[in-house]
Amino acid sequence: MKEIKLEKDSLKTIPLRQIRIHDRFWNRYIRLVKDVLIPYQWEILNDRIEGAEMSHCIQNYRIAAGEADGDFEGAVFQDTDAAKWLEAVAYVLEISPDKDLERLADKTIKLIGRAQCEDGYLNTYFTIKAPGLRWTNLKEGHELYTAGHMIEAAVAYYEATGKTEFLHIVERFADLICQIFGPEDGQCHGYPGHQEIELALIRLYRATGKKRYAELAKYFIDQRGTGENYFLEEEKKDTYRQIFPEFAGYDTKYSQSHLPVREQTTAEGHAVRAVYMYCAMADLAQLNQDRGLLRACGTLWEDMVRRRMYITGGIGSSGILERFTTDYDLPNNCNYSETCASIGLALFGRRMAQITKDASYMDVVERALYNTVLSGIAMDGKSFFYVNPLEVWPDNCMERTSKEHIKPVRQTWFGVACCPPNIARTLASMGQYMYFADEDTLYVNLYISSSMSFELAGDETEVEMESDLTNTGRVKIRMTRREGAEACGLALRIPDYVREYSVRLDGETAGDTAEPEEARTAGNAPGLVKGYLYIEGIRKAETEIEIDFHVPPRFVRANPKVREDAGKLALMKGPLVYCLEETDNGGNLPAIFVSAGQELEEQYEEELLGGVTTISFKGKRLTEDAWEDGALYAERRAAFEDTRLKAVPYHCWNNRGPGEMLVWMKELFPV
Amino acid sequence: MKEIKLEKDSLKTIPLRQIRIHDRFWNRYIRLVKDVLIPYQWEILNDRIEGAEMSHCIQNYRIAAGEADGDFEGAVFQDTDAAKWLEAVAYVLEISPDKDLERLADKTIKLIGRAQCEDGYLNTYFTIKAPGLRWTNLKEGHELYTAGHMIEAAVAYYEATGKTEFLHIVERFADLICQIFGPEDGQCHGYPGHQEIELALIRLYRATGKKRYAELAKYFIDQRGTGENYFLEEEKKDTYRQIFPEFAGYDTKYSQSHLPVREQTTAEGHAVRAVYMYCAMADLAQLNQDRGLLRACGTLWEDMVRRRMYITGGIGSSGILERFTTDYDLPNNCNYSETCASIGLALFGRRMAQITKDASYMDVVERALYNTVLSGIAMDGKSFFYVNPLEVWPDNCMERTSKEHIKPVRQTWFGVACCPPNIARTLASMGQYMYFADEDTLYVNLYISSSMSFELAGDETEVEMESDLTNTGRVKIRMTRREGAEACGLALRIPDYVREYSVRLDGETAGDTAEPEEARTAGNAPGLVKGYLYIEGIRKAETEIEIDFHVPPRFVRANPKVREDAGKLALMKGPLVYCLEETDNGGNLPAIFVSAGQELEEQYEEELLGGVTTISFKGKRLTEDAWEDGALYAERRAAFEDTRLKAVPYHCWNNRGPGEMLVWMKELFPV
């Protein structure tokens, strides 16, 4: 494993309000957040969508506030539906103010405030249904998880609008939690069954400057997995009431509580829980300059991205318990790879890149965002994948079978509504991934057409980016600053998949392909420092950078230890993984074979899937000629017929009706 | 689908006591039944095996008999453990009398008798635990299933020993069931949630001649799936108490109650339930000369064996609910393929062959028996596979994941102990599969070395068979009869996998390869009638038949519609499917590729696995040379190294410690 250097000052993100994205590729998704997702989710929260699962979320708040009668309905973490909606609303408002939407959010925040208990406690499940059982089932009760999402939403809303009402609500709750939990006698020595509050508390600390929040986050992280397992001890208490029968026979790895976090070396258990925890570990490592914790983050990151991650950036390969399994166990047609887990991977990777100034983390972030995260949402914004398989045969995705978790079409809305609002907040906060900055250098991570202004080396700087990364690979960046401003720098991430590139600064070569093999594997070729090409001493008022990333389609292979992909090829172009769909290529996609050494023909199809670059190439298909009698197994010859294949980006699969889909194609080897 | 002819008289099996098996291949398994399995299971029934799951079965009977205190323990169908033990004991006693064993069985039967209620009811779960809830949960209660196993055991014991005590016990119970269930007003119009009693009642009718038992079996079969679904209606009643929470959201296909049985055209639901039901349907079709019912049997058989069966004769591809899924959905590394389901497939196929005199059914029976059924038991008889995958990577067979049902090593004994005693009774009753007979013709189905005597065409006939089917493919049959006896006939099954064969009757050619392709596909080549070669007019006192089945190893392909096997090869020899094991070939077996057009080298290895023919051949293995940096996905070359592979029969996998195993090997095509 490579040694990780802890930079003293972490790179900063640019506030979202200062970035305007106008990217052909991204905008078709980003616009869905405000136009479709937020209004739709509001209707869901209020149980006004016919046919969708009842949320009951707003109604639960009304009951808890004493303004309606009835019982709590929904999952134990149902409150988070409102929190995630408010967080996405906050990001949207930060980018494009909207009075009506803000009024609706304010009204909802007031209702939440009225549902809060005298002592600051805020959770409608326990308030309505089990008031005597607060904090008695940390394993399954999701109280701290729910609090975490509430805190994240409040911080985002405060940062977007400057309003403090929501922030005060969650501060009161966080203060109560600071009293309840901690190392002192009389305090509860537990930690969350589903991590999330840790990273939220650090955000709250950063927004308020109150150290106790960061200290509690540190306590939760340090306490986890030490001594007798808290959750197993908790089960033995009289006050314990089981909520989820499927947790019987609890595996402490499920919640990463099997070992102290610093001793964990493999990514285990429920993938979303894991990556949310790693985010907090990275935050604390930076905050406390904690090298040991950062080393643990690095080890866990490497285990995930080098042994337990799909080519699409999906993680968590087991359908049962949505969890990591073992190194190189990456089945394509029955994996879970939850959308939320890839979002968490991106959140973790972004933090690691900020801390270490190492662009290789962003290679993974980009992989997750362009493939699994986007595949989670339909191009009309109305349906969602929670599970992201790499091979689908709709016929065998049957209820009450081992494939029941694989859905061949996106679902309208789930009872457990984590992924859609998580996609919404991710799309609304894309700006946080695009750029980092320190005092005098702007780091460009993602090449997305946008306008941005911010202060660099003491002077206001305008940055215009025009990117065609997913098609021609050409990017133009124009920086405008005050005449005579201090010199500043640019750090351009050279993606790991780029074999050839050239960068021209005002028409002069500033960097180009240098030992591309070395660059790709070490991220550290001559001219590159940890994957970034640094251009320093920019002094002119107008600077134009032209980048040409050569992004021809390429066949990619998997490490032969990945048993499911041995002898197969995947097709990529730039950051995009491609797939075959039945609508373009006919059915029975696993009967298709492909030779690697062939020409790949690109075509930008304006009318297809909102405008997409397709790739066509030659294939051979096993024929059924010898099997007309319907035999199942026999000594028969294998016969092929030639076929022309067309691949589309994975993120837009299943936008043209149900059908088979395949990422990893069988390779026909020249022997 | 081919038209099935209903023969007026079904072929008979030969009583087990008249057959002595002395086969090198089979005896190492058959001897385990008496030497290991029966004594071991007796200890299990009495909770005397340290470390094995508690059965509590005998104790439950004692409590029900009022001879011990305590609560019922174990599964709702725990009584069947004793029933299956007694049935296996019966077959063993029929072949080789043993006073001690018989005394133990008699003692157990007396205990069972004392546990029987006044009115004939017999089920310790309901007697002890829920006396008021008899027949209120047919869906999950397994009362009729348990009764069925009890009846089968009693009939077998009666046939083996001539003793009637057990038979009378089950007759009293069956008489009660005949009162409770039926079409009259006041009777229950339900049917079993787990089929089994139907075929048992037909056995009871055959043993006793009492028609009411066959009529009740017919009622259960005819009633199933008609009108409002019985199980869904039952759930609504006040008396209904759920036993298995995992059945919530009951799919009526699970128990084949989604349609009247005559309208079912696809094999659905829980595989064991399905095949046990099909057995009864076949029995009733023959008994009542019911062509419609036989047609349904034929349709369901074809669906199973032509679209939903593994090359090993395994059925039921979903781990969740142990069920059939959809046509051609046959994953190799996560299937269920329960041993009991393949036993049921063999039971069904045997019946179909008896009814139709069509040997093609026995091709499937032989496939199931030689592969999946035998793979279910370790060669020391002490551990068992319930689940029979075709590809195993021990590392990813983890608890609490989607692969948790796959066990990389055989288990000592399960709480649900269906498979081990089912294997025991199958091995003990192999004679029932080997031969059929009508008035004057002996049908030879399985080529297993044995001595047999029985009456053919009115005269005692001795048959000696020496078979080396799994090695050289040579078989010698010697028939001895009285000088001057009536002429008799022999019908020799020519297995579907035989491409060349010759049969010599006293040195003269009596049949040989004739249009082998046609013979294989239609089972009806010149000289063969429905897969049997008939030799008629045998008059001599001593007749010697020499058969030479050419059984070289052969590569077999799957219908390309089987997505999981497209582009792969399986290796077979005679009825045996072969596999690669890690111990012979190293790990990462999915990185191995094989060319079809090559020499396959056979070797009989006396010392290996109790004596086994291994097959060695050339392969190529993807190397990890280009991946030394540990990258997961990259533009790297695919490099192969030559390797020599050695395959062993599938049935004996995992007898040399844990390790990877693989049946379907990737094919390297000449392009």
Side-chain angles (χ1 to χ4, degrees):
Chain A
M1 209 195 87
K2 66 180 171 187
E3 201 42 51
I4 302 181
K5 195 169 153 236
L6 180 63
E7 304 277 344
K8 188 148 193 317
D9 291 311
S10 175
L11 297 173
K12 305 283 178 288
T13 56
I14 314 286
L16 294 180
R17 64 166 58 81
Q18 292 164 228
I19 305 173
R20 290 283 171 285
I21 295 174
H22 50 75
D23 189 84
R24 185 173 63 171
F25 178 87
W26 278 96
N27 264 37
R28 59 189 151 175
Y29 287 107
I30 290 174
R31 67 169 178 73
L32 297 173
V33 178
K34 187 169 180 188
D35 296 351
V36 181
L37 266 163
I38 285 181
Y40 182 71
Q41 197 190 353
W42 177 250
E43 296 303 299
I44 291 276
L45 291 179
N46 286 280
D47 304 316
R48 289 193 294 244
I49 300 282
E50 197 99 13
E53 278 199 61
M54 294 279 277
S55 159
H56 211 260
C57 180
I58 295 297
Q59 184 65 5
N60 288 336
Y61 278 110
R62 287 205 193 95
I63 295 166
E67 297 165 12
D69 291 327
D71 281 334
F72 176 94
E73 301 269 351
V76 66
F77 41 73
Q78 205 71 16
D79 286 1
T80 58
D81 280 15
K84 288 171 183 165
W85 182 77
L86 282 166
E87 189 181 347
V89 166
Y91 298 133
V92 163
L93 290 179
E94 184 168 350
I95 302 166
S96 57
D98 178 320
K99 282 295 151 205
D100 289 341
L101 183 58
E102 190 167 334
R103 212 162 4 229
L104 201 58
D106 286 339
K107 211 179 88 179
T108 308
I109 290 163
K110 282 188 194 307
L111 172 62
I112 291 171
R114 294 197 302 277
Q116 187 166 31
C117 299
E118 282 285 306
D119 62 355
Y121 186 82
L122 180 57
N123 184 308
T124 69
Y125 174 87
F126 285 93
T127 303
I128 300 171
K129 201 164 174 170
L133 295 176
R134 283 187 192 177
W135 319 118
T136 58
N137 186 343
L138 297 185
K139 188 182 70 177
E140 302 170 352
H142 286 73
E143 271 165 300
L144 293 168
Y145 168 84
T146 303
H149 274 300
M150 208 57 79
I151 293 167
E152 283 212 87
V155 172
Y157 199 72
Y158 164 68
E159 287 171 350
T161 64
K163 293 178 179 172
T164 56
E165 182 172 3
F166 197 7
L167 195 67
H168 289 155
I169 290 170
V170 300
E171 275 199 77
R172 284 182 60 210
F173 191 16
D175 289 342
L176 176 70
I177 295 169
C178 286
Q179 280 171 39
I180 303 282
F181 292 89
E184 305 297 327
D185 284 352
Q187 286 186 303
C188 174
H189 303 327
Y191 39 83
H194 191 317
Q195 301 91 317
E196 151 66 26
I197 194 170
E198 300 89 336
L199 71 92
L201 285 168
I202 297 160
R203 283 183 81 171
L204 186 60
Y205 154 69
R206 288 188 172 136
T208 64
K210 294 177 184 168
K211 281 197 175 154
R212 60 177 174 273
Y213 303 138
E215 282 160 9
L216 182 60
K218 181 173 186 314
Y219 176 75
F220 282 144
I221 289 293
D222 288 346
Q223 180 68 4
R224 194 169 203 90
T226 59
E228 293 292 310
N229 186 275
Y230 183 83
F231 304 126
L232 298 181
E233 294 302 305
E234 181 184 65
E235 282 184 347
K236 298 173 190 164
K237 292 187 187 158
D238 289 343
T239 48
Y240 179 79
R241 301 284 178 281
Q242 190 181 53
I243 298 171
F244 298 104
E246 62 266 36
F247 282 96
Y250 192 72
D251 177 357
T252 58
K253 278 188 181 166
Y254 175 70
S255 57
Q256 300 78 38
S257 61
H258 57 300
L259 278 176
V261 302
R262 285 174 171 75
E263 295 171 26
Q264 296 186 23
T265 55
T266 53
E268 299 292 349
H270 186 254
V272 175
R273 281 169 168 77
V275 284
Y276 282 10
M277 179 176 85
Y278 304 157
C279 286
M281 288 165 64
D283 284 340
L284 289 168
Q286 199 281 321
L287 205 59
N288 302 326
Q289 293 289 300
D290 184 335
R291 280 165 211 286
L293 199 53
L294 187 66
R295 204 173 306 118
C297 288
T299 305
L300 291 163
W301 173 269
E302 295 261 309
D303 185 53
M304 272 197 297
V305 309
R306 293 169 79 83
R307 291 182 287 278
R308 301 188 176 197
M309 180 184 72
Y310 287 90
I311 192 170
T312 52
I315 50 172
S317 57
S318 169
I320 292 181
L321 294 183
E322 309 160 1
R323 59 176 280 184
F324 289 103
T325 56
T326 191
D327 287 346
Y328 305 108
D329 179 31
L330 296 161
N332 294 309
N333 64 2
C334 61
N335 51 315
Y336 204 82
S337 305
E338 187 177 341
T339 308
C340 288
S342 289
I343 290 172
L345 180 68
L347 289 169
F348 179 35
R350 191 188 77 200
R351 283 165 167 80
M352 292 300 283
Q354 287 178 269
I355 297 173
T356 62
K357 301 188 183 174
D358 185 338
S360 72
Y361 293 103
M362 295 309 292
D363 289 330
V364 174
V365 171
E366 188 186 56
R367 187 188 286 275
L369 291 174
Y370 275 81
N371 297 291
T372 298
V373 176
L374 283 190
S375 129
I377 180 169
M379 298 185 88
D380 66 2
K382 289 180 178 159
S383 58
F384 308 91
F385 280 132
Y386 290 53
V387 177
N388 295 282
L390 278 73
E391 176 173 346
V392 171
W393 177 28
D395 284 3
N396 79 352
C397 298
M398 296 166 70
E399 287 301 313
R400 310 296 284 136
T401 70
S402 299
K403 297 265 170 68
E404 67 181 352
H405 62 287
I406 307 289
K407 306 298 172 191
V409 293
R410 291 181 181 82
Q411 311 287 294
T412 48
W413 202 268
F414 277 41
V416 178
C418 56
C419 299
N422 225 345
I423 296 170
R425 69 170 185 163
T426 305
L427 289 172
S429 61
M430 279 299 294
Q432 297 189 334
Y433 298 92
M434 291 168 57
Y435 295 109
F436 299 150
D438 59 17
E439 193 73 0
D440 56 8
T441 303
L442 177 69
Y443 289 75
V444 185
N445 297 306
L446 302 184
Y447 295 91
I448 297 175
S449 302
S450 53
S451 313
M452 193 258 283
S453 72
F454 75 114
E455 206 182 277
L456 193 62
D459 265 290
E460 198 61 23
T461 304
E462 306 276 334
V463 177
E464 273 294 329
M465 176 152 60
E466 289 301 329
S467 168
D468 194 26
L469 180 70
T470 59
N471 188 31
T472 60
R474 288 199 200 98
V475 180
K476 217 178 258 183
I477 297 173
R478 186 189 305 269
M479 265 174 110
T480 313
R481 313 181 74 220
R482 183 177 58 85
E483 197 75 48
E486 281 285 305
C488 68
L490 253 185
L492 302 172
R493 171 178 156 259
I494 308 298
D496 63 348
Y497 49 77
V498 168
R499 291 169 67 105
E500 288 180 58
Y501 71 92
S502 66
V503 176
R504 295 169 72 79
L505 179 71
D506 292 328
E508 302 287 321
T509 297
D512 60 11
T513 317
E515 304 287 343
E517 274 297 331
E518 195 184 336
R520 251 197 351 279
T521 55
N524 220 349
L528 296 190
V529 180
K530 292 196 274 190
Y532 286 110
L533 176 74
Y534 283 83
I535 301 174
E536 283 159 6
I538 299 177
R539 296 175 184 279
K540 293 203 291 179
E542 291 275 338
T543 308
E544 191 171 272
I545 294 108
E546 286 168 288
I547 310 172
D548 194 351
F549 292 132
H550 293 266
V551 286
R554 63 194 189 277
F555 281 122
V556 174
R557 294 192 177 87
N559 189 311
K561 286 181 176 144
V562 183
R563 286 151 171 78
E564 299 275 348
D565 301 336
K568 293 183 182 173
L569 292 170
L571 184 60
M572 292 189 74
K573 174 180 165 59
L576 296 176
V577 174
Y578 275 66
C579 68
L580 300 179
E581 284 202 274
E582 182 173 352
T583 184
D584 299 313
N585 303 289
N588 200 0
L589 299 175
I592 287 171
F593 289 72
V594 172
S595 295
Q598 64 166 305
E599 202 183 327
L600 297 166
E601 194 182 310
E602 294 184 72
Q603 196 185 350
Y604 186 78
E605 299 193 38
E606 190 71 48
E607 300 300 312
L608 190 68
L609 293 160
V612 75
T613 304
T614 61
I615 303 168
S616 64
F617 51 103
K618 286 183 295 187
K620 285 180 185 288
R621 180 190 292 274
L622 274 177
T623 71
E624 292 172 21
D625 295 353
W627 301 84
E628 278 171 2
D629 63 349
L632 192 50
Y633 307 108
E635 279 180 90
R636 300 277 163 87
R637 70 184 185 283
F640 289 98
E641 64 189 5
D642 289 332
T643 183
R644 188 84 193 157
L645 301 168
K646 178 159 116 175
V648 296
Y650 173 77
H651 69 82
C652 54
W653 84 273
N654 184 244
N655 274 290
R656 293 175 290 167
E660 289 187 44
M661 183 275 288
L662 181 78
V663 169
W664 286 100
M665 299 168 285
K666 296 192 175 101
E667 182 167 359
L668 216 46
F669 294 100
V671 286
Chain B
M1 210 196 87
K2 67 181 172 187
E3 200 44 53
I4 302 181
K5 198 170 152 228
L6 179 64
E7 303 276 344
K8 189 148 192 314
D9 291 312
S10 175
L11 297 174
K12 303 284 179 289
T13 57
I14 315 286
L16 293 180
R17 65 167 54 81
Q18 292 164 228
I19 306 172
R20 290 284 171 283
I21 295 173
H22 49 75
D23 190 84
R24 184 174 63 169
F25 178 88
W26 278 97
N27 264 35
R28 57 188 151 174
Y29 286 107
I30 290 173
R31 68 169 177 74
L32 298 173
V33 178
K34 188 170 180 188
D35 296 351
V36 181
L37 265 164
I38 284 179
Y40 182 72
Q41 196 190 354
W42 177 248
E43 296 303 299
I44 290 277
L45 292 178
N46 286 279
D47 303 316
R48 290 192 293 242
I49 301 281
E50 197 99 12
E53 278 199 62
M54 294 279 277
S55 160
H56 212 259
C57 181
I58 295 296
Q59 184 66 4
N60 288 335
Y61 278 110
R62 287 204 194 96
I63 296 166
E67 297 165 12
D69 291 326
D71 282 333
F72 176 93
E73 301 269 351
V76 65
F77 41 75
Q78 206 71 15
D79 286 1
T80 58
D81 280 14
K84 287 171 183 166
W85 181 78
L86 283 166
E87 189 180 345
V89 167
Y91 298 134
V92 164
L93 291 179
E94 184 167 350
I95 301 166
S96 59
D98 178 320
K99 282 295 152 204
D100 289 340
L101 184 58
E102 189 167 335
R103 212 163 5 229
L104 201 58
D106 286 340
K107 210 178 89 178
T108 309
I109 289 163
K110 282 192 195 304
L111 173 63
I112 291 171
R114 295 197 301 277
Q116 187 167 34
C117 299
E118 283 284 305
D119 61 355
Y121 186 81
L122 180 57
N123 184 308
T124 69
Y125 174 88
F126 284 93
T127 303
I128 300 170
K129 201 165 174 168
L133 295 178
R134 283 186 192 178
W135 319 117
T136 58
N137 186 345
L138 298 185
K139 188 183 68 176
E140 302 170 352
H142 285 73
E143 272 165 300
L144 294 167
Y145 168 83
T146 304
H149 274 299
M150 208 58 79
I151 292 168
E152 283 210 87
V155 171
Y157 200 73
Y158 164 69
E159 287 171 350
T161 63
K163 292 178 179 174
T164 57
E165 183 172 2
F166 198 7
L167 196 66
H168 289 155
I169 290 170
V170 302
E171 275 199 76
R172 283 182 61 211
F173 191 16
D175 289 343
L176 176 70
I177 295 169
C178 286
Q179 280 170 40
I180 303 284
F181 291 88
E184 304 297 327
D185 285 351
Q187 286 186 303
C188 173
H189 303 326
Y191 39 85
H194 192 316
Q195 300 92 316
E196 152 66 27
I197 195 170
E198 300 90 334
L199 72 92
L201 284 168
I202 296 160
R203 283 183 80 172
L204 187 59
Y205 154 70
R206 286 186 175 138
T208 63
K210 294 176 183 168
K211 280 197 176 155
R212 59 178 174 275
Y213 302 138
E215 283 161 9
L216 182 60
K218 181 174 185 313
Y219 176 75
F220 282 144
I221 289 292
D222 288 346
Q223 181 68 5
R224 193 170 203 87
T226 60
E228 293 292 312
N229 186 275
Y230 184 83
F231 303 126
L232 298 182
E233 294 302 305
E234 182 183 64
E235 282 184 345
K236 299 174 191 163
K237 291 186 188 159
D238 289 343
T239 48
Y240 178 79
R241 299 284 178 283
Q242 191 180 52
I243 299 171
F244 298 103
E246 62 267 37
F247 281 97
Y250 193 72
D251 177 356
T252 57
K253 277 187 181 166
Y254 176 71
S255 57
Q256 301 78 38
S257 61
H258 58 299
L259 278 175
V261 302
R262 287 175 169 77
E263 295 171 25
Q264 296 185 22
T265 56
T266 52
E268 299 292 348
H270 186 253
V272 175
R273 282 169 167 78
V275 284
Y276 282 9
M277 178 176 87
Y278 304 158
C279 286
M281 288 165 64
D283 284 340
L284 289 168
Q286 198 281 322
L287 205 61
N288 302 326
Q289 293 288 299
D290 184 335
R291 280 167 210 286
L293 200 52
L294 187 65
R295 205 174 304 120
C297 288
T299 304
L300 291 163
W301 173 268
E302 295 260 311
D303 185 53
M304 271 197 297
V305 308
R306 293 170 79 83
R307 290 181 286 279
R308 301 186 177 198
M309 181 184 72
Y310 286 90
I311 192 169
T312 52
I315 51 172
S317 56
S318 169
I320 292 183
L321 295 182
E322 308 159 3
R323 58 176 281 187
F324 290 103
T325 56
T326 190
D327 288 347
Y328 305 109
D329 179 31
L330 296 160
N332 294 309
N333 64 1
C334 61
N335 50 315
Y336 204 83
S337 306
E338 187 177 340
T339 308
C340 287
S342 289
I343 290 173
L345 180 68
L347 289 168
F348 179 35
R350 191 188 79 200
R351 283 165 167 80
M352 292 299 283
Q354 287 178 269
I355 297 173
T356 62
K357 302 187 181 177
D358 184 339
S360 72
Y361 294 104
M362 296 308 293
D363 289 329
V364 174
V365 170
E366 189 186 55
R367 186 188 288 273
L369 291 174
Y370 275 81
N371 297 292
T372 299
V373 175
L374 283 190
S375 129
I377 181 169
M379 298 184 89
D380 66 2
K382 287 179 179 162
S383 57
F384 308 90
F385 280 133
Y386 290 54
V387 177
N388 294 282
L390 278 74
E391 177 173 346
V392 172
W393 177 29
D395 283 3
N396 79 353
C397 299
M398 296 167 70
E399 287 302 313
R400 312 294 284 138
T401 70
S402 299
K403 297 263 169 69
E404 67 180 353
H405 62 286
I406 307 289
K407 305 298 173 194
V409 294
R410 291 181 182 82
Q411 310 288 294
T412 48
W413 203 268
F414 278 40
V416 178
C418 54
C419 299
N422 224 347
I423 296 170
R425 71 170 183 162
T426 305
L427 289 172
S429 61
M430 278 301 293
Q432 296 190 334
Y433 298 93
M434 291 167 58
Y435 295 108
F436 299 149
D438 61 15
E439 193 71 2
D440 56 8
T441 303
L442 177 69
Y443 289 75
V444 186
N445 296 306
L446 302 184
Y447 295 91
I448 296 174
S449 302
S450 53
S451 313
M452 193 259 282
S453 72
F454 75 115
E455 206 182 277
L456 192 64
D459 264 290
E460 199 60 22
T461 306
E462 306 276 333
V463 177
E464 275 293 331
M465 175 149 63
E466 290 300 331
S467 169
D468 194 25
L469 180 70
T470 58
N471 188 30
T472 60
R474 290 201 199 94
V475 180
K476 217 177 255 183
I477 298 172
R478 185 188 306 271
M479 267 175 108
T480 314
R481 312 182 74 221
R482 179 177 62 83
E483 198 76 50
E486 281 286 304
C488 69
L490 255 185
L492 302 172
R493 171 176 156 262
I494 307 299
D496 62 348
Y497 50 78
V498 167
R499 289 169 68 106
E500 286 181 58
Y501 71 93
S502 67
V503 177
R504 296 171 69 81
L505 180 69
D506 292 328
E508 302 286 320
T509 296
D512 61 12
T513 317
E515 305 285 343
E517 275 297 332
E518 196 185 337
R520 252 198 348 281
T521 56
N524 221 348
L528 297 189
V529 181
K530 292 196 274 191
Y532 285 110
L533 176 74
Y534 283 85
I535 301 172
E536 283 160 4
I538 299 176
R539 295 176 184 278
K540 293 204 291 178
E542 292 274 339
T543 308
E544 191 170 271
I545 293 107
E546 286 168 287
I547 311 172
D548 194 350
F549 292 132
H550 294 266
V551 287
R554 64 194 188 277
F555 281 123
V556 175
R557 293 193 179 86
N559 188 312
K561 284 180 177 146
V562 183
R563 283 153 174 76
E564 299 275 348
D565 301 337
K568 293 182 180 171
L569 292 170
L571 183 61
M572 293 189 73
K573 173 179 165 60
L576 296 177
V577 174
Y578 275 67
C579 68
L580 301 179
E581 284 201 275
E582 183 174 353
T583 184
D584 300 312
N585 302 288
N588 199 359
L589 299 175
I592 287 170
F593 290 72
V594 172
S595 295
Q598 65 166 304
E599 203 183 324
L600 297 165
E601 193 182 310
E602 294 183 74
Q603 195 184 350
Y604 187 78
E605 299 192 39
E606 192 70 48
E607 299 301 312
L608 189 68
L609 293 159
V612 75
T613 304
T614 61
I615 303 168
S616 64
F617 51 104
K618 287 183 293 187
K620 283 181 185 288
R621 181 190 293 273
L622 275 177
T623 72
E624 292 172 20
D625 294 352
W627 300 85
E628 278 170 4
D629 62 350
L632 193 50
Y633 307 108
E635 279 180 89
R636 301 274 162 87
R637 68 184 188 283
F640 290 98
E641 62 189 7
D642 289 334
T643 183
R644 187 86 193 156
L645 302 167
K646 179 160 118 174
V648 297
Y650 173 77
H651 69 83
C652 53
W653 84 274
N654 184 244
N655 275 289
R656 294 175 289 166
E660 288 187 43
M661 182 275 290
L662 180 79
V663 169
W664 287 99
M665 299 168 283
K666 295 191 177 100
E667 182 167 359
L668 215 46
F669 295 101
V671 285

